Amino acid sequence: MIRRYQAEGYPRAVTVPAAASGAANLTGGEPGTTPGATRTGTAAASRLGTMAVQMAPSILSADFARLADEAAAVAGVADWLHVDVMDYHFVPNLTIGRPVVESLLKHTELPLDCHLMISEPDRWAAGYAEAGARNVTVHAEALQAPVRTLRQIRAAGARAGLAVNPATPVEPYEDLLPEFDMLLLMTIEPGFGGQSFLDVVLPKLRRARALVQRHGASVWLQVDGGVDDETIERCAQAGADVFVAGTAVYGADNPAAAVEALRRHAEHATAGATWPQRS
Ligand code: DX5
Ligand code: ZN
């Protein structure tokens, strides 16, 4: 059984199998280190030699009136908490902003992964880093001065992410690879959780992985949208190493177990992956 979160007009049937839970005590990677390097326990050791999968549950599908509790529900198993900031301009939805990020930071040890779906990222992005977000991701489609803004995010102490919508190519940003720590490939049109995964993005994901590998760049590849037990393996096989999941986590009866199940699927799919880890 699942708790459903379904945006109007964006139906998707989701099934999340119940899975056994086991605490892994994961804390997520620090800036400038290998993803997952700060994890403890046997699970981390077993991942040596493979990709370091990062799991980022999205609170977009959580209960906004109980965000501290919802963060706590995945604190032992997630690497980051994904926070979707929407302004009703860049996307047709309105969510939360910096005040909520600041409040949430007082109630969770999880690093916050802020995904800004806003029309003026150049103006607002650094503020999220100053507030304490670990990652701040801005959309290529909305940026006026990508290099300046990505550098401002880093200068303010966060990792910089560049996001691209499904129809936006990654090749124009090849020269900017040294300027960001993560490339977010939207696997839905941004704005709402609960949409169906877009397989059409997978060839771009493979090209992005090849591009990162060719440059020997330290860049995570994050997928966001429609990631669930069924689609996560395709993402991992295509080259993703950071996985956002909203409905598949907070729509489940046991969000922590859902994160663990998703991680197992991703790790299974990437066992033996040859591309280098981010360092
Ligand atoms: C949508 C957001 C996603 C959203 C994904 O624009 O960027 O992070 O939470 O939700 P699911 O996992 O339900 O597709
Ligand atoms: Zn997102």
Side-chain angles (χ1 to χ4, degrees), residues 200-220:
V200 71
V201 177
L202 289 176
K204 180 169 68 174
L205 179 53
R206 283 189 280 272
R207 291 199 305 277
R209 174 51 67 188
L211 191 147
V212 167
Q213 196 165 0
R214 195 163 62 244
H215 285 262
S218 294
V219 172
W220 276 302

Side-chain angles (χ1 to χ4, degrees), residues 38-226:
T38 59
R39 290 203 194 102
T40 58
T42 55
S46 70
R47 282 194 288 275
L48 290 173
T50 66
M51 282 174 52
V53 165
Q54 303 286 293
M55 295 302 307
S58 169
I59 57 166
L60 183 63
S61 297
D63 182 345
F64 274 19
R66 300 174 46 254
L67 284 182
D69 293 339
E70 297 282 58
V74 296
V77 294
D79 298 287
W80 309 334
L81 199 62
H82 186 81
V83 178
D84 289 302
V85 176
M86 304 185 189
D87 68 350
Y88 215 81
H89 292 276
F90 181 69
V91 290
N93 196 6
L94 184 66
T95 55
I96 56 177
R98 180 170 167 174
V100 176
V101 167
E102 289 172 352
S103 294
L104 200 47
L105 280 166
K106 295 176 191 159
H107 294 279
T108 182
E109 297 293 314
L110 277 172
L112 298 191
D113 176 38
C114 290
H115 175 195
L116 306 188
M117 285 160 279
I118 61 177
S119 59
E120 291 188 272
D122 303 273
R123 183 173 176 189
W124 303 109
Y128 286 83
E130 288 161 8
R134 183 69 56 85
N135 310 326
V136 179
T137 297
V138 285
H139 267 264
E141 301 84 0
L143 284 163
Q144 298 293 320
V147 173
R148 183 175 65 212
T149 298
L150 292 166
R151 288 184 180 184
Q152 284 176 344
I153 292 169
R154 282 178 165 175
R159 291 182 289 227
L162 182 71
V164 291
N165 286 339
T168 302
V170 293
E171 286 78 7
Y173 301 96
E174 180 170 356
D175 290 345
L176 296 195
L177 274 175
E179 302 292 342
F180 52 86
D181 303 286
M182 183 162 73
L183 182 61
L184 164 53
L185 276 68
M186 291 303 301
T187 43
I188 54 170
E189 295 292 356
F192 299 92
Q195 301 181 64
S196 296
F197 180 82
L198 295 174
D199 279 276
V200 71
V201 177
L202 289 176
K204 180 169 68 174
L205 179 53
R206 283 189 280 272
R207 291 199 305 277
R209 174 51 67 188
L211 191 147
V212 167
Q213 196 165 0
R214 195 163 62 244
H215 285 262
S218 294
V219 172
W220 276 302
L221 293 184
Q222 183 179 55
V223 285
D224 182 6

